[in-house]
Amino acid sequence: MDNYREDYLKNVKRIVVKVGTSTLTYPTGLLNINRIENLVRQLSDIHNRGIEVILVSSGAIGAGIGKLGLKSKPKTIPEKQAAAAVGQGILLHMYEKLFSEYGKIVAQILLTREDISHRVRFLNASNTFYSLLEQGVIPIVNENDAIVVDEIKFGDNDTLSAMVASLVNADLLVLLTDIDGLYDSNPKVNPNAKFISYVDEITDEIISAADGAGSSLGTGGMITKINAGKIATSSGCSMVIVNGDAPNVLNDILDGKDIGTFFQGQKYPLQAKKHWMAFGTKPNGSVIVDDGAEKALINNHKSLLPKGIIAVEGNFSEGDVISILNSEKKDIGHGISNYNSFDIDLIKGLDSCVIEEKLGHKNYDEVIHANNLVIF
């Protein structure tokens, strides 16, 4: 297993590094300049190796807290947005200044969930990244906290970094955090917790081991990191969770040293479009299918026909991504709908041959074609 890790890391050509608030700031909320300088030096050094680097950085709200002289982390969304708006410029200015000392050019990219959910914007974002990387630029990514609201939030930068890793087909995602990696239970509570250094598949056991909260300044506990791992590994990208405190941690990882927890990327990753449907989008509605349709979708990778649909929930248009729920309302997959919610409601339970008679037109026999469908 460790040989696999070492061999894999030798061949990494594109890396996404995510650094959390707890790594970048002191408990006071103010920036830890020593840590930031160390991170920039390491990233510049990796870049000199000929590896493309993307940094996903938290810390805008933390930087704003310091500048505004706040006593604690703001609680309401408008207060967070104000702190982020003030802090974003400070944070980027610091990165710009430090990276330029090593001769590196940086670019700022602010993303919201909508930039990923919308297929055209997703592809545009992807092209922007590729263009910057081609020119030797180091993109610095953050969620657009100054304007974002809950409905369009990634929720945490772990998820954002995993979406970026899949967006740019990265080989490796490194999550720098304030703990050494994954344990079989919470080490802060259980002194006998065992360290897990290698994960070839994210199972239910791994998910239950990860249950527990992070620090007060950050948003992501270990569970959000495991969810990020699901997103990254299913696109074929491996991931390492590691303590960001070590002085040369990134070079150590790339040299194959056994530090942190290594999550192996899937050997047969989801196609890019299916990965986007599974993780990138927020479904606009759902259809509930009967047991026969559920079996056909899961076991035989069939298209979804109107005959297998019991009910429709929400309002959505043709071309929207929707959830497919089984009869117990469990989410079993996502897909791009060929019909709007109103039309599906009229043709549900019917054979495809009567669609035209019922609607006055028929674009497709299938409500969702197998090519536009991903089953979980």
Side-chain angles (χ1 to χ4, degrees):
M1 288 189 306
D2 283 341
N3 286 350
Y4 175 87
R5 171 177 176 150
E6 207 172 320
D7 292 345
Y8 183 89
L9 293 167
K10 269 182 200 147
N11 298 310
V12 166
K13 294 282 178 280
R14 182 175 294 152
I15 180 173
V16 175
V17 176
K18 179 262 172 180
V19 59
T21 303
S22 58
T23 306
L24 284 183
T25 54
Y26 287 108
T28 57
L30 297 176
L31 292 175
N32 184 332
I33 294 162
N34 199 25
R35 281 253 180 94
I36 295 173
E37 285 189 344
N38 181 25
L39 174 69
V40 169
R41 185 183 58 77
Q42 287 187 69
L43 291 170
S44 301
D45 197 44
I46 287 170
H47 199 255
N48 286 349
R49 278 185 176 203
I51 295 172
E52 292 175 335
V53 173
I54 294 164
L55 173 62
V56 177
S57 175
S58 303
I61 293 176
I65 291 170
K67 187 74 171 175
L68 292 168
L70 304 177
K71 295 286 175 278
S72 63
K73 188 176 174 180
K75 301 282 186 287
T76 68
I77 281 190
E79 284 174 333
K80 285 179 185 171
Q81 288 169 324
V86 171
Q88 193 65 51
I90 297 166
L91 190 65
L92 195 80
H93 176 69
M94 191 168 287
Y95 278 129
E96 168 72 46
K97 181 174 176 291
L98 293 169
F99 272 111
S100 68
E101 286 178 14
Y102 297 102
K104 301 298 176 192
I105 304 166
V106 298
Q108 182 181 39
I109 297 184
L110 295 173
L111 290 173
T112 64
R113 166 65 86 173
E114 283 199 331
D115 297 318
I116 302 284
S117 286
H118 191 282
R119 185 71 181 153
V120 175
R121 278 159 73 175
F122 174 90
L123 295 170
N124 286 344
S126 173
N127 291 336
T128 304
F129 276 109
Y130 288 135
S131 175
L132 289 168
L133 293 170
E134 241 168 61
Q135 294 178 60
V137 175
I138 297 176
I140 298 176
V141 186
N142 199 350
E143 183 157 12
N144 199 351
D145 284 321
I147 60 156
V148 84
V149 289
D150 266 359
E151 293 80 68
I152 55 170
K153 273 181 81 64
F154 286 96
D156 58 86
N157 274 358
D158 296 322
T159 307
L160 172 61
S161 64
M163 289 308 305
V164 169
S166 64
L167 186 76
V168 300
N169 286 317
D171 304 306
L172 184 66
L173 168 63
V174 178
L175 302 183
L176 297 177
T177 182
D178 55 357
I179 47 174
D180 298 331
L182 178 66
Y183 288 80
D184 63 357
S185 62
N186 190 340
K188 290 174 183 170
V189 179
N190 176 12
N192 300 319
K194 285 192 181 66
F195 187 70
I196 300 168
S197 71
Y198 187 93
V199 175
D200 60 353
E201 190 189 348
I202 296 172
T203 58
D204 291 344
E205 288 79 25
I206 295 291
I207 290 165
S208 64
D211 238 354
S215 62
S216 63
L217 277 165
T219 50
M222 186 52 77
I223 197 71
T224 68
K225 291 170 177 46
I226 300 302
N227 288 335
K230 272 187 173 172
I231 296 170
T233 56
S234 65
S235 72
C237 174
S238 290
M239 179 177 92
V240 176
I241 297 175
V242 70
N243 194 324
D245 209 7
N248 204 24
V249 63
L250 296 175
N251 273 309
D252 287 348
I253 288 168
L254 291 168
D255 291 339
K257 288 191 182 161
D258 192 11
I259 54 167
T261 303
F262 180 86
F263 294 77
Q264 184 183 313
Q266 285 179 15
K267 289 194 171 66
Y268 304 104
L270 281 174
Q271 241 177 301
K273 182 165 138 195
K274 295 205 171 190
H275 188 277
W276 169 76
M277 284 191 290
F279 299 109
T281 62
K282 210 166 188 178
N284 290 341
S286 53
V287 290
I288 299 165
V289 300
D290 62 27
D291 297 347
E294 181 185 3
K295 282 196 185 81
L297 293 171
I298 292 172
N299 300 331
N300 305 323
H301 311 294
K302 295 284 192 195
S303 298
L304 176 61
L305 303 173
K307 194 168 179 58
I309 297 173
I310 308 167
V312 185
E313 293 184 340
N315 291 315
F316 52 86
S317 308
E318 176 191 334
D320 282 352
V321 173
I322 59 172
S323 287
I324 300 154
L325 310 177
N326 67 10
S327 55
E328 288 161 3
K329 292 214 171 178
K330 179 175 178 269
D331 202 346
I332 60 166
H334 290 170
I336 298 172
S337 180
N338 287 331
Y339 292 94
N340 65 40
S341 49
F342 180 77
D343 286 350
I344 296 172
D345 205 33
L346 292 174
I347 60 173
K348 67 178 190 285
L350 302 177
D351 286 318
S352 296
C353 57
V354 296
I355 293 177
E356 189 160 9
E357 190 186 317
K358 195 79 182 164
L359 298 181
H361 64 91
K362 177 166 86 166
N363 303 341
Y364 304 93
D365 283 337
E366 315 85 10
V367 171
I368 301 174
H369 193 278
N371 292 344
N372 293 328
L373 183 64
V374 59
I375 296 297
F376 302 147

